[in-house]
C-alpha cells in the first residue's frame, strides 16, 4: 500500500515533460467551438449586460445619496427644531408641566365668583397673568437658547408659584365665606 513519494514525483515530472503534438491546442479549441458555439456569444452578451447593470446601479445609488443629502441640508436650514415648552425636551418634564397646569386649571375651575370676592379675584388673576407672561417668556427663551437647567428650574418654580398663589386665594375665599356665614347666622342668646 505504501508508495514511495520520490518515485511518484519522478513519474509525474516525466509525464509533464512530454510534449503535445503540433496543432493539438488549435484542434482542441476548434472542437470546443464546434461543440459549444453558443456559450462564447452568451458570455460576451452577459458581460455587456452586467457592465450596464453595474453602471446604472452605481449611478442610481449616487443620485439617491447626493440628492438626499442636499435635501436634508435645505430642510435643516428652513425648519429649525424649535422648543415651545418643557414637553418638547423630555417626557419627564412633560409630566411635570402637565401635572402643574392641570392642578392650576382645576384650582381655577373650583373658584366661585361672587360680588363679594370679585375685587380679590381680580388682584389674584392679575398676579396669575403676570406669572403666565413670565412663563411664556421663559418658554421663548428656552426655544432660542440652548437647553439649560436654570431656565427649566425657573419654569417649574413659576408653575409652583401659580399653584401656591391659587391655594392662597382659595384659603382667603374660604375665610371670607366663613366670615359671611358667621355674620349671617342668627345669634342664639
Amino acid at each position: 500500500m505504501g508508495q514511495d513519494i520520490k518515485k511518484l514525483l519522478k513519474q509525474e515530472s516525466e509525464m509533464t515533460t512530454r510534449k503535445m503534438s503540433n496543432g493539438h491546442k488549435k484542434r482542441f479549441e476548434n472542437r470546443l467551438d464546434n461543440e459549444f458555439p453558443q456559450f462564447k456569444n452568451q458570455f460576451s452578451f452577459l458581460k455587456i449586460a452586467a457592465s450596464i447593470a453595474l453602471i446604472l446601479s452605481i449611478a442610481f445609488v449616487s443620485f439617491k445619496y447626493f440628492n438626499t443629502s442636499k435635501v436634508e441640508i435645505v430642510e435643516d436650514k428652513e425648519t429649525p427644531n424649535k422648543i415651545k415648552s418643557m414637553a418638547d425636551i423630555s417626557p419627564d418634564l412633560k409630566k411635570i408641566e402637565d401635572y402643574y397646569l392641570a392642578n392650576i386649571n382645576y384650582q381655577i375651575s373650583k373658584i366661585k365668583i361672587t360680588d363679594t370676592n370679585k375685587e380679590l379675584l381680580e388682584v389674584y388673576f392679575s398676579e396669575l397673568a403676570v406669572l403666565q407672561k413670565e412663563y411664556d417668556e421663559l418658554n421663548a427663551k428656552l426655544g432660542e437658547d440652548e437647553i439649560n437647567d436654570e431656565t427649566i428650574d425657573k419654569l417649574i418654580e413659576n408653575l409652583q408659584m401659580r399653584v401656591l398663589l391659587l391655594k392662597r386665594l382659595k384659603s382667603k375665599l374660604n375665610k371670607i365665606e366663613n366670615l359671611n356665614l358667621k355674620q349671617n347666622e342668627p345669634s342664639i342668646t
Side-chain angles (χ1 to χ4, degrees), residues 65-83:
Y65 174 74
F66 290 116
N67 193 23
T68 304
S69 63
K70 287 180 185 175
V71 169
E72 288 175 6
I73 291 170
V74 171
E75 286 177 3
D76 287 341
K77 288 180 181 177
E78 289 178 0
T79 57
N81 189 9
K82 293 232 176 179
I83 296 172

Side-chain angles (χ1 to χ4, degrees), residues 57-120:
S57 63
I58 289 173
F60 179 74
V61 169
S62 299
F63 175 75
K64 282 290 188 183
Y65 174 74
F66 290 116
N67 193 23
T68 304
S69 63
K70 287 180 185 175
V71 169
E72 288 175 6
I73 291 170
V74 171
E75 286 177 3
D76 287 341
K77 288 180 181 177
E78 289 178 0
T79 57
N81 189 9
K82 293 232 176 179
I83 296 172
K84 296 177 184 171
S85 69
M86 291 191 302
D88 296 334
I89 298 171
S90 91
D92 292 334
L93 290 175
K94 178 181 177 14
K95 288 179 186 176
I96 292 169
E97 185 179 40
D98 289 346
Y99 169 77
Y100 281 113
L101 291 175
N103 195 354
I104 290 167
N105 290 333
Y106 176 72
Q107 295 291 336
I108 291 173
S109 70
K110 287 177 62 176
I111 296 173
K112 296 178 183 174
I113 301 173
T114 62
D115 291 334
T116 56
N117 66 9
K118 194 172 188 178
E119 289 178 20
L120 182 65

Side-chain angles (χ1 to χ4, degrees), residues 90-170:
S90 91
D92 292 334
L93 290 175
K94 178 181 177 14
K95 288 179 186 176
I96 292 169
E97 185 179 40
D98 289 346
Y99 169 77
Y100 281 113
L101 291 175
N103 195 354
I104 290 167
N105 290 333
Y106 176 72
Q107 295 291 336
I108 291 173
S109 70
K110 287 177 62 176
I111 296 173
K112 296 178 183 174
I113 301 173
T114 62
D115 291 334
T116 56
N117 66 9
K118 194 172 188 178
E119 289 178 20
L120 182 65
L121 288 176
E122 286 177 3
V123 171
Y124 273 91
F125 283 147
S126 67
E127 288 294 321
L128 284 173
V130 169
L131 287 172
Q132 179 63 43
K133 184 178 177 186
E134 288 176 10
Y135 186 79
D136 292 339
E137 289 171 359
L138 287 170
N139 266 332
K141 183 180 178 184
L142 189 66
E144 294 168 359
D145 300 337
E146 289 185 22
I147 299 169
N148 58 24
D149 291 338
E150 184 180 333
T151 307
I152 293 171
D153 289 342
K154 286 180 182 179
L155 284 167
I156 293 172
E157 285 175 19
N158 183 293
L159 291 170
Q160 290 171 340
M161 286 173 50
R162 285 197 268 173
V163 170
L164 185 62
L165 189 64
L166 285 169
K167 286 183 179 180
R168 285 183 190 160
L169 173 63
K170 190 176 175 185

